């Protein structure tokens, strides 16, 4: 069972307190009406599904209830870091540093 | 007592006899025996039949790796367990055991015929044998497979035992209490760190329990062991768990430990759990799992009496049992020589040691000869004889060039074998830790770890006692240091250790035709060397494929004794180096684990909670029949004397439409949405327009996913400009709140809105029927209930029966209706007061079934029954609920995708059967032409179907391709026995003008 650090609670807690919520850094278009069908399809359904570093959303559902973002390796399952929703995507250097 | 028990030897209590039965026969053992050692003490080797060929099998090993000696244990009703390994089952007075896989008896078994049809059962036999003819499947093959499948008999009644579970945290978890594990636990314990030491056996010691002769730090091994165990027991920071198996090693140093609490006890203590699952999070882990001895692969290596040499040594030194009177040893490793000498010292006639190696250390040869043992180095074993027990072994010399010379037979009652030792890397492997192949030593060893873990001792390829102690001490000290404590590894001195080396071999060379040899690799699944070579000849190259095709390593022992031999043979057959063929994946659990241990407390009513409303108790007392709705149980119908469900529902509907019905609607999901931006938030979430909804008014709300499909619906009341009372479906409550939170927190964090689940805060009593207003008018204070002041779709706050209420005028039946929300703690009192007052109107409680019927008569949908996640608002006939002027809401963009606008989309419509008495089956398929060839084109299906008492006929809702344009057409519904005709209609069957609900 993974340990996950909630950036809102500033505490590491077991995975059972959390729920996964899909890929991170996909924001809802401000005005969906101006999007083509193709663009809307890409927004709705197309995800990066990488082997390796993945930016994803989690929710501390049995804790503070807040959503946050995480960087996790899809091969080892291990988290590199977590950060509050709304913050920018961490750089490669920041992720490297967090892993070391 | 038998001649096989050695006086003054072993760790069993020679003064305490215990009696047990095996296949109904009574035997005597000693306190401290396992079933295996106790049977061997009685000269019993034959303990079971093999799975596929029903060959007689004996005890192969002395530990948890045992593939053969599986027995059924019975302790009374519900307490029977199959496939228990006799080598770990501790005997107690009255233990009752039976052997498996035989009929009619262990000694005479009809299934042995499988052994004669050997060719039929070779590699891939499932895939080849049961292919043809097709007609054989039902009558011949399937019954055969079902009869043969599975080991042992599973219990047929619920398990009366309880199982506990517990979470724990520690600084250092040490797995295994052999020399390395003990040394690790001692060093780490002395640092003050919080330690858990776990061992699957009944007592600490591991391999030391089989080696009393060595000396450690000036003490005999067992005295040192006692001192170590005492120190650990006295350390407050150390928890020692024996009879506890580390079954799995999961992410971030999380391990599952299964502790067997009562299985070894003669009487079960009142209230004690049978097993306890520990879920441990450790800062640091030391794996000292030890090693498992490899069998040798030769014709007849499975005959009872053929066993692992190291295990024979364990039976002698630990249990005081000679495994036979006349032994022969066959080995490729020095360690078996020590077993031979131990046995000879105990008075066993050891006739010969056959060593595959041409040269063996002189000191071993001299020692053996000094004990009168014939030494045959550079020889091979090519067969064994004996029916239910080995009686002789066939041995041949092998020249330097590999030529096998003339055979000779040596009589024996026991053949001890050793093909070297395999480090147990199972737990390390669970963590995806890399395993490195050591070509010289022919073994996989732990490589780079992925967790905070270290391996020590034989499990790390370090076999010598001194080296294992030193490595263990170092591992324990460094684990404690890494966990933040001060520790230093102490030193060890050893006396009397004989260093052992050996080689690994494939099948032993033979002068006979190897294709008829029964040289077993996997004893439990009956896989031979020939099977593996056949699989390779048939094209299988990867060990993962070979494993599945031959089933090697796939039995309950997970190939503990067979994987490496199988891999060596496969690698030879495919002519590729072992690491290129690959090692199969080790998966938890390490040894078979009961479902009870995994389930723990979460069984029966604790498996899944049953949510009950405040009014549930009244319903129960008044004879309600319940149905589960998500986690809730809801009153389904209220049968009166002698009524069946149909009669009860018809009566409940009729009473409600004629006068007054009362219904518990408390399970409806409820969310309070509050804040200056509450209306804007609801505007963005729901399809409808909300800004202009006046306080005091209700509106039906429809919620979509971004894909445009209906997710939920419910009535929403505006209490004030900044406060809404939202209702959801019963099953959708948590999901809807989570979706709302997601949008609010991550898409629109600027909105000033707060969401609170209030499902459990309100009890909801629905009153429906022409007399609903008359009933509550005298009971309500502070609300004008007149039709003008409080029309359909109104909400107001006031009091009812002296209790504060949020009163909704709303109807899910089409009758004049109210939903009375009161704080949950008053729910039952208000319900009872209304029920008493309602007697003058023949008030009738109705359940969910009558509710379903009445809402269907009005064409009100139920999300999840009439919709299935592929229906848009328009598909469901709810196009009117879309706020056309709204620029955006969740799901709006998808509604204009081309697929969503197609004319032939499935649309929700009404159906009336040609025969009014026919009630269609929900889920039944609908076709346009019943005479078309099969398979017919299905154009839709029935979603809801009921007998309508109000209409005196059946009604149904259905989704049908382009359904609304087909109104008036006849469709056909094939059902068992008959195809029914039905006419497509509108969805509202009853009171289409809504006169009743506006009354
Ligand atoms: Zn949190």
């Amino acid at each position: 069972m993974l340990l996950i650090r909630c950036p809102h609670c500033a505490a590491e807690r077991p995975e059972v307190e959390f729920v996964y919520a899909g890929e991170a850094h996909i924001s809802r278009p401000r005005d969906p009406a101006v999007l083509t069908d193709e663009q809307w399809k890409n927004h709705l359904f197309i995800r990066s599904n990488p082997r390796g570093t993945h930016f994803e959303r989690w929710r501390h559902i049995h804790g503070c209830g807040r959503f946050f973002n995480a960087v996790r390796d899809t091969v080892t399952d291990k988290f590199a870091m977590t950060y509050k929703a709304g913050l920018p995507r961490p750089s490669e250097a920041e992720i490297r540093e967090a892993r070391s | 007592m038998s001649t096989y028990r050695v006086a003054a030897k072993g760790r069993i209590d020679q003064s305490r006899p215990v009696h047990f039965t095996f296949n109904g026969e009574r035997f005597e053992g000693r306190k401290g025996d396992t079933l295996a050692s106790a049977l061997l003490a009685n000269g019993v080797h034959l303990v079971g039949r093999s799975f596929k060929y029903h060959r007689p099998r004996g005890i192969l090993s002395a530990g948890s790796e045992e593939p053969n000696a599986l027995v059924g244990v019975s302790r009374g009703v519900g307490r029977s367990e199959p496939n228990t390994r006799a080598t770990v089952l501790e005997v107690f007075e009255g233990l009752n055991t039976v052997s498996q896989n035989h009929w009619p008896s262990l000694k005479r078994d009809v299934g042995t015929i499988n052994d004669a049809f050997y060719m039929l059962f070779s590699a891939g036999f499932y895939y080849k044998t049961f292919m043809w003819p097709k007609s054989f499947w039902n009558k011949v093959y399937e019954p055969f497979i079902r009869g043969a499948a599975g080991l042992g008999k599973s219990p047929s009644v619920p398990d009366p035992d309880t199982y506990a579970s517990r979470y724990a945290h520690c600084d250092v978890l040490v797995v295994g209490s052999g020399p390395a594990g003990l040394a690790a636990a001692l060093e780490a314990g002395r640092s003050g760190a919080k330690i858990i030491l776990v061992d699957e056996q009944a007592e600490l010691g591991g391999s030391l329990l089989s080696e009393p002769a060595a000396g450690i730090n000036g003490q005999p091994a067992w005295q040192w062991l006692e001192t170590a165990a005492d120190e650990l027991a006295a350390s407050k920071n150390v928890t020692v768990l024996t009879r506890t198996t580390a079954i799995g090693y999961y992410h971030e140093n999380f391990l599952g430990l299964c502790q067997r609490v009562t299985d070894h006890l003669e009487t079960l203590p009142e209230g004690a759990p049978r097993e306890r699952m520990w879920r441990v999070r450790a800062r640091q882990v030391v794996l000292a799992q030890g090693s498992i001895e490899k069998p040798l692969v030769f014709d007849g290596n499975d005959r009872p009496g053929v066993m692992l040499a190291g295990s024979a040594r364990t039976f002698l030194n630990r249990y005081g049992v000679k495994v036979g009177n006349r032994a022969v040893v066959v080995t490729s490793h020095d360690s078996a020589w020590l077993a031979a000498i131990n046995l000879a010292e105990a008075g066993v006639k050891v006739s010969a040691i056959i060593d595959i190696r041409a040269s063996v250390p002189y000191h071993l040869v001299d020692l053996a000869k000094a004990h009168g043992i014939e030494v045959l180095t550079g020889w091979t074993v090519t067969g064994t004889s004996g029916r239910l027990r080995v009686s002789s072994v066939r041995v041949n010399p092998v020249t330097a060039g590999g030529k096998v010379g003339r055979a000779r037979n040596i009589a024996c009652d026991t053949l001890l074998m050793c093909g070297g030792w395999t480090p147990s890397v199972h737990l390390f492997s669970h963590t995806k830790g890399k395993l490195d192949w050591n070509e010289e030593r022919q073994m996989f060893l732990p490589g780079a770890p992925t967790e905070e873990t270290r391996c020590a001792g034989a499990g790390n390829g370090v076999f010598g006692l001194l080296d294992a102690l030193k490595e263990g001490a170092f591992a324990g000290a460094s684990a404690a240091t890494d966990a933040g404590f001060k520790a230093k590894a102490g030193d060890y001195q050893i006396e009397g250790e004989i260093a052992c080396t050996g080689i690994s071999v494939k099948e032993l060379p033979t002068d006979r035709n190897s294709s008829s040899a029964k040289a077993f690799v996997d004893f439990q699944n009956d896989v031979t060397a020939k099977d593996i070579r056949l699989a390779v000849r048939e094209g299988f190259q990867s060990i993962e494929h070979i494993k599945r095709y031959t089933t090697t390593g796939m039995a309950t022992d997970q190939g503990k004794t067979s994987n490496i031999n199988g891999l060596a043979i496969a690698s030879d057959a495919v002519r590729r180096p072992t690491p290129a063929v690959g090692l199969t994946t080790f998966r938890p659990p390490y040894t078979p684990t009961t479902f009870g241990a995994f389930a723990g407390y979460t069984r029966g009513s604790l498996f899944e909670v049953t949510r009950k409303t405040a009014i549930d108790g009244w319903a129960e007392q008044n004879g309600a029949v319940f149905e589960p709705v998500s986690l809730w149980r809801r009153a389904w119908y209220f049968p009166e004397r002698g009524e069946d469900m149909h009669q009860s529902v018809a009566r409940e509907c009729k009473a409600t439409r004629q006068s007054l019905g009362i219904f518990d609607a408390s399970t409806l999901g409820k969310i309070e949405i509050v804040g200056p931006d509450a209306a804007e938030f609801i505007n963005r979430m729901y399809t409808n327009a909300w800004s202009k909804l006046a306080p005091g008014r209700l509106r039906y709300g429809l919620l979509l996913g971004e894909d445009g499909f209906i997710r939920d619906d419910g009535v929403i009341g505006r209490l004030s400009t900044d406060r809404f009372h939202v209702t959801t479906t019963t099953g959708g409550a948590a999901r809807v709140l989570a979706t709302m939170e997601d949008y609010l927190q991550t898409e629109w964090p600027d909105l000033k809105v707060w969401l609170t689940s209030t499902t459990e805060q309100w009890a909801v009593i629905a009153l429906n029927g022409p007399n609903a207003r008359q009933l509550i008018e005298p009971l309500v204070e502070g609300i004008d209930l007149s039709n003008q002041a409080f029309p359909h779709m109104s909400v107001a706050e006031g009091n009812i029966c002296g209790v504060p209420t949020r009163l909704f005028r709303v109807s899910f039946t089409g009758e004049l209706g109210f939903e009375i929300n009161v704080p949950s703690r008053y729910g039952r009192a208000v319900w009872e007061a209304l029920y008493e007052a309602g007697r003058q109107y023949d008030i009738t409680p109705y359940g969910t079934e009558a509710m379903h019927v009445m809402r269907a008569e009005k064409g009100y949908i139920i999300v999840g029954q009439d919709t299935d996640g592929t229906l848009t608002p328009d598909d469901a006939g709810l196009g009117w609920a879309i706020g056309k002027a709204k620029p955006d809401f969740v799901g709006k963009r998808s509604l204009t995708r081309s697929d969503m606008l197609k004319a032939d989309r499935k649309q929700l419509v009404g159906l009336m059967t040609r025969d009014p008495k026919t009630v269609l089956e929900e889920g039944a398929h609908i076709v346009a032409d019943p005479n078309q060839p099969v398979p017919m084109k299905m154009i839709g299906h029935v979603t809801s179907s009921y007998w309508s008492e109000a209409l005196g006929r059946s009604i149904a809702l259905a989704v049908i391709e382009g359904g609304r344009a087909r109104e008036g057409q006849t469709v056909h519904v094939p059902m068992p026995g008959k195809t029914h005709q039905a006419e497509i209609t509108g969805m509202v069957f009853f009171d289409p003008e809504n006169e009743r609900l506006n009354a």
Side-chain angles (χ1 to χ4, degrees):
Chain A
M1 184 163 48
L2 293 166
L3 285 171
I4 303 175
R5 184 173 181 79
C6 172
H8 300 287
C9 296
E12 199 169 52
R13 289 287 180 269
E15 192 183 336
V16 288
E17 290 190 13
F18 299 83
V19 284
Y20 178 71
E23 188 166 355
H25 300 292
I26 297 171
S27 46
R28 190 173 190 272
R30 199 165 290 266
D31 184 4
V34 302
L35 267 56
T36 64
D37 278 4
E38 183 72 9
Q39 288 169 323
W40 182 244
K41 174 204 80 181
N42 288 340
H43 164 70
L44 272 193
F45 303 118
I46 306 303
R47 296 294 179 265
S48 63
N49 195 25
R51 185 180 195 281
T53 300
H54 189 230
F55 299 88
E56 59 195 27
R57 305 187 322 134
W58 286 79
R59 185 180 180 206
H60 194 186
I61 185 137
H62 298 301
C64 62
R66 311 274 311 263
F67 284 84
F68 59 90
N69 292 337
V71 184
R72 192 177 57 93
D73 189 304
T74 58
V75 178
T76 65
D77 282 349
K78 293 207 169 158
F79 285 85
M81 60 191 296
T82 56
Y83 51 102
K84 291 177 182 174
L87 292 178
R89 191 188 292 258
S91 68
E92 271 179 44
E94 285 171 301
I95 296 167
R96 246 197 325 275
E97 197 189 309
R99 282 210 172 105
S100 62
Chain B
M1 196 62 198
S2 76
T3 56
Y4 298 98
R5 187 70 76 177
V6 187
K9 228 176 176 0
R11 301 176 65 81
I12 45 142
D13 189 343
Q14 297 274 16
S15 68
R16 290 179 65 188
V18 287
H19 301 90
F20 64 96
T21 64
F22 177 64
N23 285 340
E25 194 177 340
R26 195 159 185 266
F27 291 100
E28 186 177 295
R30 292 284 177 267
K31 177 83 184 154
D33 263 328
T34 63
L35 178 65
S37 68
L39 285 172
L40 289 170
N42 287 280
V44 176
H45 273 256
L46 174 68
V47 289
R49 290 274 175 173
S50 73
F51 176 50
K52 217 156 73 179
Y53 303 127
H54 288 233
R55 286 169 67 93
R57 287 285 164 82
I59 296 158
L60 181 75
S61 75
S64 65
E65 70 271 31
E66 176 62 31
N68 279 344
L70 306 182
V71 298
V73 184
S74 173
R75 299 193 79 163
V77 177
R79 287 195 170 97
S80 63
E81 183 179 89
N83 299 325
T84 303
R85 289 143 295 154
T87 49
V88 299
L89 174 62
E90 296 172 55
V91 295
F92 51 82
E93 188 67 33
L95 172 69
N96 185 7
T97 63
V98 291
S99 56
Q100 302 183 158
N101 291 340
H102 55 74
W103 186 85
S105 79
L106 179 57
K107 291 185 180 169
R108 302 200 168 274
D109 173 49
V110 170
T112 314
I113 198 158
N114 291 357
D115 201 16
F117 289 103
Y118 180 61
M119 297 309 289
L120 197 67
F121 292 92
S122 59
F125 83 100
Y126 280 105
Y127 310 108
K128 295 171 186 164
T129 311
F130 304 119
M131 289 282 286
W132 41 256
K134 202 177 166 188
S135 60
F136 268 41
W137 253 109
N138 290 345
K139 291 200 174 75
V140 183
Y141 295 147
E142 197 180 318
F144 176 85
I145 293 173
R146 286 193 187 284
L151 287 166
K153 282 200 185 86
S154 35
S156 54
V157 295
D159 185 346
D161 280 314
T162 58
Y163 296 80
S165 59
R166 179 181 292 186
Y167 284 92
H169 295 260
C170 66
D171 297 309
V172 181
L173 173 69
V174 181
V175 178
S177 70
L182 275 179
L186 287 169
E187 299 297 355
R190 285 166 193 159
S191 78
K194 197 175 166 194
I195 312 296
I196 295 177
L197 171 64
V198 55
D199 196 287
E200 63 177 349
Q201 304 216 40
E203 58 175 331
L204 299 182
S207 63
L208 279 184
L209 301 171
S210 309
E211 297 205 35
I216 302 173
N217 290 353
Q219 289 181 307
W222 285 1
Q223 201 179 320
W224 179 85
L225 173 59
E226 199 177 320
T227 314
D230 287 349
E231 178 183 333
L232 293 169
S235 307
K236 287 200 163 52
N237 57 322
V238 178
T239 303
V240 175
L241 298 173
T242 53
R243 297 190 179 93
T244 305
T245 306
I247 57 164
Y249 192 153
Y250 309 91
H251 281 304
E252 317 219 36
N253 274 6
F254 190 71
L255 287 92
L257 314 177
C258 183
Q259 181 182 19
R260 290 170 296 282
V261 182
T262 62
D263 270 3
H264 63 290
L265 300 175
E266 188 181 324
T267 50
L268 300 176
E270 188 71 28
R274 180 181 172 216
E275 296 180 334
R276 176 180 293 117
M277 186 71 90
W278 293 69
R279 293 170 169 88
V280 179
R281 184 82 67 175
R283 278 184 211 286
Q284 299 287 325
V285 171
V286 177
L287 296 176
Q289 278 198 279
S291 60
I292 292 172
E293 194 171 12
K294 276 189 292 186
L296 287 167
V297 182
F298 55 88
D299 189 17
N301 64 344
D302 66 326
R303 210 174 293 283
V306 183
M307 70 190 314
L308 294 168
S311 298
R313 198 173 174 220
T314 296
F315 285 120
L316 178 65
N317 291 334
R318 181 172 172 189
Y319 298 102
V321 173
K322 292 185 291 184
V323 295
N325 286 324
R326 204 183 159 120
V328 170
V329 175
V330 52
T331 184
S332 66
H333 195 274
D334 297 346
S335 65
W337 291 68
L338 302 182
I341 289 154
N342 276 177
L343 260 65
E345 285 166 349
V348 176
K349 167 70 188 156
V350 181
S351 304
I353 297 177
I354 321 297
D355 202 310
I356 314 307
R357 299 171 293 177
S359 83
V360 174
Y362 291 116
H363 62 273
L364 289 177
V365 175
D366 292 345
L367 208 51
K369 285 184 174 161
H371 283 87
I373 304 171
E374 185 183 6
V375 170
L376 299 170
T377 54
W379 281 57
T380 184
V381 169
T382 55
T384 61
S385 308
R387 195 172 82 85
L388 299 176
R389 173 87 181 258
V390 64
S391 60
S392 75
V393 51
R394 187 173 181 271
V395 301
N396 312 54
V398 184
T399 67
K403 196 168 164 359
V404 178
R406 261 179 64 153
R408 150 190 170 193
N409 285 296
I410 307 175
C412 62
D413 64 5
T414 311
L415 176 59
L416 308 181
M417 58 182 169
C418 174
W421 298 77
T422 305
S424 287
V425 294
H426 299 73
L427 289 173
F428 181 80
S429 188
H430 292 175
T431 67
K432 293 189 195 166
K434 197 174 169 302
L435 295 175
D436 296 332
W437 174 248
N438 185 314
E439 180 63 29
E440 190 199 328
R441 302 175 71 190
Q442 293 283 302
M443 55 180 68
F444 281 102
L445 294 172
T450 62
E451 297 283 344
E452 296 294 325
T453 196
R454 2 174 110 57
C455 298
N460 199 30
V462 174
F463 288 99
L465 178 56
L466 179 62
D467 290 344
L469 285 164
K470 283 181 167 175
E471 191 178 51
F474 181 75
S478 54
T481 306
D482 286 355
F485 295 82
K486 273 182 108 89
K488 192 171 165 292
D491 202 13
Y492 283 92
Q493 285 92 40
I494 293 297
E495 296 91 44
E497 179 173 14
I498 297 174
C500 291
T501 61
I503 61 165
S504 279
V505 290
K506 304 176 288 287
E507 312 97 301
L508 300 191
T510 181
D511 57 338
R512 287 173 161 173
N513 179 1
S514 65
S515 69
S516 62
K518 286 167 187 171
F520 285 89
V521 173
D522 183 324
F523 292 85
Q524 198 173 115
N525 263 353
D526 271 349
V527 180
T528 64
K530 194 205 75 170
D531 291 327
I532 293 172
R533 292 190 182 276
L534 179 63
V536 171
R537 279 204 303 281
E538 292 182 2
F540 295 91
Q541 298 279 311
S542 151
I543 195 66
E544 293 285 2
H545 295 152
I546 293 167
K547 167 181 168 170
R548 281 158 183 80
Y549 192 59
T550 62
T551 72
T552 186
M554 288 174 65
T556 64
D557 64 337
Q558 291 284 294
K560 288 187 179 64
T561 54
S562 64
N563 279 344
I564 296 296
N565 279 336
L567 184 56
I569 292 164
S571 138
D572 183 61
V574 299
R575 295 195 177 80
R576 286 162 70 198
T578 304
V581 179
L583 184 64
T584 53
T585 312
F586 293 105
R587 292 191 181 84
Y590 175 65
T591 48
T593 306
T594 63
F595 282 109
F598 284 112
Y601 303 113
T602 53
R603 58 188 288 193
S605 61
L606 295 178
F607 175 68
E608 198 173 62
V609 294
T610 301
R611 298 176 78 181
K612 293 178 183 175
T613 72
I615 296 149
D616 179 273
W618 188 93
E620 187 172 299
Q621 282 165 22
N622 285 271
V625 176
F626 291 92
E627 67 165 342
V629 181
S630 67
L631 289 178
W632 296 94
R633 70 166 198 174
R634 301 192 70 179
W636 194 10
Y637 56 97
F638 289 83
E640 289 186 349
R641 199 182 309 269
E643 282 181 339
D644 62 14
M645 175 171 166
H646 176 80
Q647 292 163 330
S648 176
V649 170
R651 176 183 47 75
E652 291 167 28
C653 290
K654 192 172 173 188
T656 303
R657 295 222 183 276
Q658 278 185 355
S659 176
L660 186 56
I662 185 167
F663 174 71
D664 181 5
S666 304
T667 66
L668 278 182
K670 292 171 276 292
I671 301 167
E672 189 100 337
I673 301 186
V674 182
D677 296 321
E680 172 60 18
F681 178 71
I682 298 176
N683 244 347
R684 295 187 193 183
M685 291 302 305
Y686 283 82
T687 63
N688 326 56
W690 297 93
S691 308
K692 289 185 182 143
L693 184 71
R697 296 293 297 162
L698 302 173
R699 182 165 286 169
Y700 172 78
L702 191 60
L703 184 70
L704 310 183
E706 288 287 15
D707 54 14
F709 298 123
I710 296 171
R711 289 292 197 283
D712 206 84
D713 68 353
V715 168
I716 298 177
R718 189 168 199 171
L719 298 163
S720 60
T721 51
D722 63 350
R723 182 175 296 266
F724 290 80
H725 179 121
V726 174
T727 65
T728 72
T729 60
T730 293
R735 200 165 49 237
V736 170
L737 181 62
T739 304
M740 287 181 175
E741 280 288 352
D742 195 348
Y743 278 96
L744 185 58
Q745 288 184 34
T746 69
E747 297 291 353
W748 310 315
D750 52 311
L751 292 185
K752 289 192 171 56
V753 176
W754 289 268
L755 307 172
T756 310
S757 166
T758 53
T759 302
E760 304 263 3
Q761 271 59 48
W762 297 105
V764 186
I765 302 164
L767 280 175
N768 281 267
N771 287 315
R773 187 187 290 113
Q774 274 97 308
L775 173 66
I776 61 169
E777 219 150 24
L779 305 172
V780 170
E781 295 166 288
I783 304 170
D784 179 353
L785 292 180
S786 68
N787 205 21
Q788 296 71 27
F790 199 60
H792 180 54
M793 297 307 263
S794 298
V795 57
E797 291 177 282
N799 284 294
I800 187 164
C801 307
V803 168
T805 182
R806 278 183 187 173
L807 186 64
F808 283 36
R809 179 161 172 204
V810 68
S811 169
F812 201 44
T813 60
E815 297 300 323
L816 167 65
F818 297 91
E819 283 182 5
I820 303 158
N821 292 266
V822 291
S824 282
R825 62 186 178 281
Y826 301 123
R828 179 151 180 188
V830 173
W831 173 284
E832 286 179 356
L834 292 170
Y835 189 73
E836 277 311 307
R839 286 185 188 279
Q840 58 185 310
Y841 306 111
D842 288 330
I843 191 168
T844 300
Y846 64 94
T848 50
E849 188 65 19
M851 176 269 280
H852 277 146
V853 173
M854 290 187 278
R855 65 90 201 175
E857 287 168 344
K858 290 292 293 177
Y860 301 147
I861 67 161
I862 289 187
V863 171
Q865 174 166 343
D866 300 300
T867 70
D868 60 2
T870 67
L871 259 62
T872 66
D874 185 65
D875 297 340
L878 298 170
W880 56 266
I882 291 176
K884 298 283 188 307
K886 282 167 59 170
D888 191 17
F889 55 80
V890 171
K892 180 177 169 70
R893 176 62 186 82
S894 289
L895 297 179
T896 55
R897 285 175 54 231
S898 53
D899 256 24
M900 302 297 221
L901 302 170
K902 284 185 175 162
D904 64 347
R905 289 189 60 81
K906 283 184 182 164
Q907 293 168 332
L908 203 54
V909 293
L911 272 190
M912 297 242 250
T913 47
R914 177 74 39 97
D915 169 15
K917 296 269 183 288
T918 297
V919 180
L920 296 172
E921 279 181 17
E922 288 177 355
H925 288 188
I926 295 167
V927 299
D929 171 13
N931 299 315
Q932 62 187 304
V934 175
M936 299 186 187
K937 178 175 164 33
M938 168 194 161
I939 59 169
H941 69 273
V942 177
T943 62
S944 290
S945 177
Y946 309 96
W947 172 258
S948 166
E949 190 69 10
L951 298 165
R953 58 154 302 132
S954 70
I955 55 166
L957 299 175
V959 288
I960 294 178
E961 286 178 6
R964 283 200 294 274
R966 296 185 195 232
E967 195 169 323
Q969 293 181 14
T970 298
V971 290
H972 305 267
V973 185
M975 285 196 343
K978 196 180 173 198
T979 296
H980 300 278
Q981 291 187 333
E983 185 185 321
I984 299 178
T985 67
M987 285 169 61
V988 184
F989 300 96
F990 183 75
D991 185 26
E993 278 73 45
N994 286 337
E995 283 168 11
R996 304 175 70 88
L997 76 105
N998 286 316

